[in-house]
Amino acid sequence: MNQKQLEDSIFEAVSDAMGREWTIEQKQFIENNSELQSHLKEWLNNSLSDTCWHPDNYKIVRDLNTPSNFSPPTMLEDEDTHISF
């Protein structure tokens, strides 16, 4: 998949009614692309109420806002992610 197709498939996963989880390839692409991260943060803020976000995708984008030197308490790591719509 080329970069444009990969980016399109990432946004498709959070805009279709299926709420599909991103693939490993998509997650790696997000991790290495700060511009895409910014777009996803904006997308999250503007589309959270449409219920198309898979909980794992939501957690990835939510955690992009967490400073890298921050470690969440261990008791919270295994909790289910609650998306507040």
Side-chain angles (χ1 to χ4, degrees):
M1 218 183 278
N2 69 38
Q3 286 191 355
K4 176 68 174 141
Q5 290 172 322
L6 194 53
E7 189 170 322
D8 288 347
S9 68
I10 288 168
F11 280 99
E12 183 181 296
V14 294
S15 62
D16 65 15
M18 300 297 291
R20 180 177 55 79
E21 183 178 1
W22 289 319
T23 65
I24 292 171
E25 181 183 19
Q26 291 169 325
K27 291 175 186 177
Q28 289 172 337
F29 185 69
I30 292 166
E31 183 179 310
N32 296 312
N33 189 323
S34 59
E35 185 178 342
L36 178 58
Q37 290 175 15
S38 293
H39 289 297
L40 286 169
K41 289 175 194 177
E42 290 174 28
W43 188 272
L44 177 67
N45 290 331
N46 294 325
S47 68
L48 191 56
S49 63
D50 67 13
T51 69
C52 291
W53 281 83
H54 186 282
D56 290 340
N57 297 347
Y58 168 78
K59 189 175 181 182
I60 288 169
V61 175
R62 181 200 65 196
D63 291 348
L64 292 173
N65 294 320
T66 305
S68 57
N69 61 351
F70 175 79
S71 295
T74 355
M75 62 183 208
L76 299 178
E77 287 179 356
D78 294 330
E79 286 186 14
D80 288 337
T81 300
H82 174 70
I83 303 174
S84 55
F85 327 120

